[in-house]
Amino acid sequence: MPLFDLLLLIAAGFAAGGMNALAGGGTFFSFPALLATGLAPVTANATNAVALWPASLAAAWAARSALRPLGRYLIPLLVAGLAGGLLGGLLLLASGDDVFSLLIPWLLLLATALFAASPWLSRWLAARRKEDNAIPPHAPASLAAHGLVSIYGGYFGAGMGILQLAAFSIEGHQLVRANALKNLISAVIYSVATATFIIAGRVSGYELAILLVGTTLGGYAGGALSKTLPAPWLRRFVILVGAGMTLYYFHAQYGPLLANA
């Protein structure tokens, strides 16, 4: 690997780990960096998903105390996460690099919009959230929504946590429980998608190892700085990066087509 690519992945991993610890949106740094090193789009996305997998397991384990009282309530959600994550991963592999390349700008646009709208979404959800702590019953529509979010998570994943948090909050879960459920189902989705990508041989181990070094260092630094750096500035920076990446990939994918039209 050229020295520039190695340094790029370490820097992107550091930025991704740090931003995930501070404000979220780390995929906007790690995924484009993997593409820039020359990885095929599907391989880059699969490698990025595996890089995020350990953090999702850690978050789910940290939230286990809020999940213990739910018991059998978790079973339909776990099934939806397993099935959706597997289907999303298989769809990614089946669509191939050409189709996924065309979808990258749209997926980045969706993720950027979700990230930008998350503060307003959080306030809206807080305004309608129930005061009691009762566990809301499952409904076919809500399970279908969780299944669709899980498919998206297995296919691409950026912004998945925001969608999950919104779905659980709309159902009536309190914020702490909704966040714990989000962490658990995200871990399930990333686990099954990771297994799918590894079995299919679409994960680049060398780039993954380098990226994990960067994300580990960045996560540590982000955790140390989380109490001193202003979150609104960080959010604006992530949105700026996401918007820039979106415009770049729209131009890269569709600019030549429009020029030849």
Side-chain angles (χ1 to χ4, degrees):
M1 173 180 288
L3 178 61
F4 176 80
D5 289 352
L6 188 149
L7 295 176
L8 175 64
L9 284 180
I10 292 177
F14 185 88
M19 293 309 301
N20 278 343
L22 291 165
T27 293
F28 293 122
F29 299 89
S30 54
F31 176 62
L34 288 166
L35 288 175
T37 63
L39 290 183
V42 171
T43 302
N45 189 52
T47 303
N48 187 62
V50 177
L52 296 174
W53 175 51
S56 71
L57 293 177
W61 178 255
R64 65 191 184 281
S65 61
L67 298 171
R68 287 197 187 101
L70 299 180
R72 292 181 179 273
Y73 181 85
L74 296 174
I75 294 177
L77 296 173
L78 293 172
V79 171
L82 281 168
L86 176 60
L87 180 56
L90 292 176
L91 283 174
L92 176 66
L93 296 174
S95 64
D97 292 314
D98 291 339
V99 173
F100 186 63
S101 294
L102 294 175
L103 292 176
I104 285 173
W106 300 100
L107 293 169
L108 289 174
L109 176 62
L110 173 62
T112 303
L114 287 171
F115 187 84
S118 60
W120 293 273
L121 181 61
S122 297
R123 287 195 290 269
W124 177 75
L125 292 172
R128 72 183 304 279
R129 193 171 292 130
K130 297 179 180 179
E131 294 299 327
D132 60 74
N133 200 38
I135 300 174
H138 289 303
S142 65
L143 289 176
H146 288 303
L148 291 174
V149 173
S150 299
I151 292 172
Y152 171 77
Y155 190 82
F156 186 56
M160 173 183 63
I162 298 171
L163 289 172
Q164 287 181 327
L165 191 60
F168 285 123
S169 298
I170 290 171
E171 284 181 323
H173 291 282
Q174 296 295 310
L175 180 59
V176 172
R177 189 168 61 209
N179 193 58
L181 287 167
K182 177 208 70 174
N183 290 339
L184 174 64
I185 305 306
S186 293
V188 170
I189 294 168
Y190 277 124
S191 294
V192 68
T194 291
T196 303
F197 299 147
I198 292 175
I199 292 172
R202 294 307 301 261
V203 177
S204 180
Y206 188 58
E207 283 80 2
L208 173 63
I210 297 171
L211 191 63
L212 284 173
V213 171
T215 56
T216 301
L217 295 173
Y220 181 83
L225 294 173
S226 60
K227 295 182 180 180
T228 60
L229 294 178
W233 293 3
L234 294 169
R235 290 189 58 82
R236 294 187 191 106
F237 178 64
V238 173
I239 292 169
L240 180 64
V241 171
M245 291 293 100
T246 300
L247 291 173
Y248 172 80
Y249 284 105
F250 264 115
H251 180 268
Q253 295 297 332
Y254 296 102
L257 296 177
L258 294 175
N260 295 328

